[in-house]
Amino acid sequence: LGCGIVGGGVAELLLRDRTRIEALTGVRYNLKGIAVRSVDKRRDIHDVPHDLFTSNAGALVADPDVDLVIECIGGRDAAGELVERALESRKHVVSANKELLATDGPRLFALAASGGVTLQYEAAVAAAIPIVRVLAESLAGDEVREVAGILNGTTNFILSSMHDGKSYAEALAQAQELGFAESDPTNDVDGIDSSHKLAILCQLAFRSAVTSPRIARRGITNVSVADIERAQRLNCAVKLLGVARYDNGELSAEIAPVFVPELHPFARAQGAENCVRVVGRSSGPLTFYGQGAGRFPSASAVIGDIVAAMRTIAGGRTTARHHHAKLHAAGVIKPAYDAFEKVRSEGSSYPVWREPTASATDDRPAVNA
Ligand SMILES: NC(=O)c1ccc[n+]([C@@H]2O[C@H](COP(=O)([O-])OP(=O)(O)OC[C@H]3O[C@@H](n4cnc5c(N)ncnc54)[C@H](OP(=O)(O)O)[C@@H]3O)[C@@H](O)[C@H]2O)c1
């Protein structure tokens, strides 16, 4: 479903890499169809037959021959309805849709669980960085205390350009020229996109039904050249961070510009890169960098989910996987930082990054930047 930036890459790879994917999964597959809004639109994709395209997404989802639905439309309305219909008809679903999972995720996971099918979404957070599977599987036995990071490439690009001497307006215009920012950049610069990703990370890390509207959020539109200079005088970089901590039974989460010490791993993410850092009680800190957007980085993550779903189908397993583990109610979500006024009175424009306290990582020593 959808053949834009992400869906176009997925269709190309599914057709180009068929032999390898079939060997990996033991499943022979047919790409039955590709639903789009406009069948005759010119598309920058290669070797995808035109007769696969349809404007009737509903019929494609309802096709009894379809076992797996791949949703790359985006948004909540049409995509949400189609995903819901697919899960109700007990079809596995792979989705790249952060907004849908960050708002309706808990309900959709329950629906998938009741039908005994999987709903996977690696591309929805930080595209190519495999953080969803890491939290859901590799760290499933650990207690995650903190998950934080640079979750939006557009804002990181803008802030990096401001550190190179540009004003906010100049940096935004450059990002738009290079295709890193949309003509309406609100979703990115106001932190909305980051809040969707942080909500999904909270669902995974803390098994808590956090949704994005409940996360305190501050974007980068007010970051000035003076703020950047102030940060530089303190040997810091301004980064838009999503931070979620679970400490003493309390969850705090926030999206905000933060002064990050230059030597900290977050400060190393340049341009449109993303960086996600997880602190597990036993694992200690783990840091992941990579391309958080773009056709093939996103398609790489979607194809990984498709391989996993095909293996589930091949194994005849209909029992729940990790995505079906019940989320508990989110309760109160505190902001992660003190009031910004207090921060300002202490001399910096934004909060200065602090590592989790020793209590948050149990008896392990605090990690200093
Ligand atoms: N772009 C990225 O780098 C990236 C990275 C990770 C995750 N994601 C997520 O991936 C999803 C897709 O993003 P994108 O950037 O690929 O979007 P996009 O380029 O705008 O593509 C959207 C596609 O959906 C189709 N579409 C829209 N409404 C439809 C409907 N009602 N029925 C059938 N098809 C419909 C469009 O058809 P037409 O082509 O005919 O208009 C288009 O092919 C979003 O959830 C996004 O958040 C994107």
Side-chain angles (χ1 to χ4, degrees), residues 2-6 36-38 41 43 72 74 96-98 123 293-294 298:
C3 194
I5 294 173
V6 180
V36 289
R37 237 175 338 210
S38 153
K41 182 169 162 181
R43 295 173 196 281
C72 304
N97 192 334
K98 59 206 86 159
S298 310

Side-chain angles (χ1 to χ4, degrees), residues 96 98 121-129 131-132 151 196-198 200-201 204 274 276 292:
K98 59 206 86 159
Y121 48 95
E122 184 64 73
V125 184
I129 301 176
I131 190 65
V132 170
L151 303 173
H196 292 326
K197 294 165 182 166
L198 190 63
I200 297 171
L201 291 173
L204 286 158
N274 282 192
V276 187

Side-chain angles (χ1 to χ4, degrees), residues 246-294:
Y246 196 74
D247 195 11
N248 286 326
E250 281 191 335
L251 178 61
S252 55
E254 185 161 351
I255 306 293
V258 173
F259 279 21
V260 176
E262 273 164 8
L263 294 178
H264 191 277
F266 290 144
R268 265 187 261 148
Q270 290 301 313
E273 246 186 346
N274 282 192
C275 172
V276 187
R277 197 148 175 274
V278 181
V279 182
R281 181 179 176 187
S282 302
S283 68
L286 305 163
T287 310
F288 304 83
Y289 290 95
Q291 297 302 312

Side-chain angles (χ1 to χ4, degrees), residues 35 42 45 51 54 79 82 106 126 131 139 157 170 173 216 226 228 241 272 276 292 294 302 309 311 320 328 344:
R42 269 183 66 87
I45 50 173
D51 61 5
T54 172
L82 291 162
I131 190 65
L139 292 174
F157 179 89
E170 288 166 345
I228 300 281
L241 290 189
V276 187
V302 175
R311 285 177 170 154
H328 54 77
R344 280 188 184 279

Side-chain angles (χ1 to χ4, degrees), residues 91-240:
K91 294 167 196 259
H92 299 273
V93 172
V94 170
S95 173
N97 192 334
K98 59 206 86 159
E99 184 181 352
L100 183 63
L101 290 155
T103 46
D104 298 326
R107 189 174 56 77
L108 295 172
F109 298 137
L111 193 57
S114 69
V117 287
T118 55
L119 167 57
Q120 304 195 76
Y121 48 95
E122 184 64 73
V125 184
I129 301 176
I131 190 65
V132 170
R133 198 156 275 118
V134 162
L135 286 169
E137 295 185 6
S138 317
L139 292 174
D142 206 338
E143 266 177 60
V144 176
R145 297 298 173 86
E146 176 182 291
V147 54
I150 294 164
L151 303 173
N152 179 273
T154 305
T155 44
N156 201 53
F157 179 89
I158 293 172
L159 292 172
S160 298
S161 298
M162 289 179 76
H163 274 275
D164 291 339
K166 292 201 163 54
S167 68
Y168 174 79
E170 288 166 345
L172 172 61
Q174 187 193 22
Q176 285 168 324
E177 238 167 69
L178 294 172
F180 290 126
E182 312 230 346
S183 49
D184 176 2
T186 312
N187 239 3
D188 293 321
V189 297
D190 281 355
I192 298 167
D193 177 80
S194 295
S195 72
H196 292 326
K197 294 165 182 166
L198 190 63
I200 297 171
L201 291 173
C202 288
Q203 293 168 7
L204 286 158
F206 312 123
R207 304 279 170 212
S208 178
V210 175
T211 55
S212 44
R214 300 196 52 203
I215 294 178
R217 163 170 69 74
R218 194 175 273 252
I220 64 163
T221 48
N222 291 327
V223 176
S224 65
V225 171
D227 294 328
I228 300 281
E229 287 169 354
R230 201 167 295 139
Q232 284 168 334
R233 280 199 296 277
L234 294 169
N235 297 322
C236 287
V238 182
K239 295 289 184 189
L240 183 69

